[in-house]
Amino acid sequence: MQVINGEPRARHELYSRYAAIGMAVAMRYVADSDLARDVLQDSFVKVFTRIGNFEYRGEGTLKSWVLRIVSNVSVDYLRQQSHRMFIDRMPETMSDDVPDEEPDVGLLPPGVLQQMIQQLSPGYRAVLNLFVFEQQSHREIAQRLGISESTSASQFLRAKRQLARMIREYINNPRI
């Protein structure tokens, strides 16, 4: 790969190929678009400095590797910015007022679910993304975020309940 040799054209091509999807991953964790751009930039600095250690086995492995770096940088950013990112007590309004059945996400227009996820607190959003999109266990999430497994599980449950409430509200009263 020419990017390993530091060729500017190859680096530009790599960035062009993965910047949009990398930004989408960063935005799943960091709701502010300016901060997500900073995360993306820091991610590509790591990509370019570590590309020599990458073992190319096809386009899919490269994409996965780049997106894993974006995810890691996003989580690191959240950890640095928020010392109290995870709350241990559930707000009163979240307790038992949400039915157990999950709403039909298929009723949402594209992009609405992502907007809803961005409205979650940073802790809820981080655990939800790691569990759902990266398919990590609560043990892996706990290790990665420096929290207990039970905190990871409760943050996921709370995120899921809050999302379900937002989805129901949207379905019952769609915004134009």
Side-chain angles (χ1 to χ4, degrees), residues 12-169:
H12 178 72
E13 183 180 324
L14 180 70
Y15 180 84
S16 295
R17 185 176 300 154
Y18 298 117
I21 193 166
M23 183 65 169
V25 169
M27 288 291 296
R28 282 196 334 234
Y29 292 94
V30 182
D32 181 271
S33 60
D34 289 334
L35 295 176
R37 279 189 207 94
D38 290 346
V39 165
L40 184 67
Q41 179 179 342
D42 292 347
S43 299
F44 271 94
V45 167
K46 282 191 176 188
V47 165
F48 294 137
T49 57
R50 296 180 180 175
I51 193 76
N53 299 329
F54 174 72
E55 184 179 322
Y56 186 81
R57 292 181 298 230
E59 189 65 28
T61 58
L62 179 60
K63 179 180 178 182
S64 295
W65 182 73
V66 169
L67 297 181
R68 171 62 89 183
I69 289 174
V70 174
S71 172
N72 289 341
V73 171
S74 298
V75 170
D76 290 346
Y77 172 81
L78 288 176
R79 230 181 314 161
Q80 290 171 0
Q81 297 303 311
S82 183
H83 302 300
R84 289 285 301 154
M85 185 165 69
F86 302 97
I87 57 174
D88 292 325
R89 291 183 357 145
M90 185 175 290
E92 297 300 320
T93 58
M94 291 292 293
S95 57
D96 295 321
D97 65 342
V98 179
D100 287 335
E101 67 184 56
E102 295 181 14
D104 185 0
V105 179
L107 297 174
L108 299 175
V112 171
L113 183 59
Q114 182 173 344
Q115 290 172 353
M116 290 177 179
I117 291 171
Q118 289 176 340
Q119 292 175 27
L120 296 173
S121 72
Y124 290 3
R125 193 171 52 243
V127 171
L128 179 85
N129 282 311
L130 292 168
F131 190 83
V132 173
F133 297 108
E134 296 191 30
Q135 300 177 341
Q136 293 188 352
S137 69
H138 288 298
R139 173 175 281 157
E140 293 167 318
I141 294 168
Q143 290 172 345
R144 191 164 174 192
L145 297 176
I147 59 176
S148 69
E149 285 182 56
S150 62
T151 299
S152 175
S154 67
Q155 294 287 297
F156 176 69
L157 175 64
R158 293 171 190 158
K160 208 168 119 173
R161 285 183 174 172
Q162 191 171 353
L163 269 178
R165 192 182 80 243
M166 286 189 275
I167 291 167
R168 278 190 201 84
E169 287 173 6

